[in-house]
Amino acid sequence: EEHIGDCARQEVVWPTGIALSADGRLFVTDEFRHQVVILPSDVVYPYPEFNPDGERIGEWGERGAAPGQLEAPSSITFDSNDDVYVVDTGNNRVQKFSKDGDFQMGWGAAGTGNGEFDRPWGITIDAQGAVYVADWGNDRIQKFSPDGEYLMSFGGRSTAAGDLNHPANVAVD
């Protein structure tokens, strides 16, 4: 069978998130290398052959805590403008970038309060542009405006109906 890519042969050490841009490029977060790798989505990499030049068409990101830097990024998604939202798990925040990796904005900090995170992991964006983040360590899902303003959350730390136990991802219909 054909497949769109073999991350290991493209030197993606620890792929944790994957998203397809509107122009057909595959964006993969590499938690180990603290970066986003860009691959073509229409290339078949036959097994076991290996192209030592690879097919990587871009990458951005570096380890750190400053705006635009990443620490163990996990999930990744695109908004309707084809901007990239990355869950920066190690820094307990969400960051927004252009497809070329230019930092635009970010929000979040370590903690348990509204808009704070404890190892956030999954992310999605609904049709209205609201951003949902799976806050793994706080056992909840948080919802934000496209500008990062906290709107609401659900879940919590208990065994009651409606509570969550370390949600790793989130989706909307």
Side-chain angles (χ1 to χ4, degrees):
E1 292 234 346
E2 294 183 0
H3 56 281
I4 59 173
D6 180 341
C7 287
R9 287 191 298 235
Q10 299 307 315
E11 300 178 8
V12 178
V13 178
W14 198 331
T16 51
I18 188 169
L20 188 64
S21 66
D23 62 2
R25 296 184 297 165
L26 196 64
F27 285 64
V28 181
T29 53
D30 187 333
E31 185 177 3
F32 182 80
R33 290 196 173 168
H34 315 283
Q35 65 182 186
V36 175
V37 174
I38 306 163
L39 302 168
S41 63
D42 59 350
V43 175
V44 175
Y45 303 105
Y47 182 82
E49 292 84 18
F50 171 64
N51 175 356
D53 296 328
E55 297 293 336
R56 184 182 289 209
I57 57 176
E59 66 186 33
W60 43 266
E62 65 179 3
R63 187 176 195 175
Q69 293 181 322
L70 301 168
E71 179 71 34
S74 56
S75 294
I76 185 170
T77 194
F78 286 91
D79 66 13
S80 61
N81 296 320
D82 225 19
D83 291 320
V84 184
Y85 288 72
V86 177
V87 177
D88 189 6
T89 301
N91 288 315
N92 291 298
R93 64 186 178 189
V94 172
Q95 295 195 78
K96 180 181 174 182
F97 299 89
S98 72
K99 288 187 305 186
D100 298 321
D102 296 324
F103 174 77
Q104 295 180 359
M105 65 169 292
W107 70 87
T112 60
N114 294 340
E116 296 176 333
F117 299 108
D118 181 3
R119 291 166 290 174
W121 198 259
I123 190 169
T124 195
I125 298 175
D126 68 18
Q128 290 74 41
V131 180
Y132 298 79
V133 180
D135 189 2
W136 188 87
N138 286 321
D139 301 306
R140 65 184 175 185
I141 304 295
Q142 294 194 70
K143 179 180 178 182
F144 299 89
S145 73
D147 296 324
E149 176 189 347
Y150 172 83
L151 299 174
M152 56 98 51
S153 65
F154 61 90
R157 294 180 192 259
S158 80
T159 57
D163 279 349
L164 302 171
N165 184 11
H166 298 309
N169 217 332
V170 59
V172 293
D173 65 8

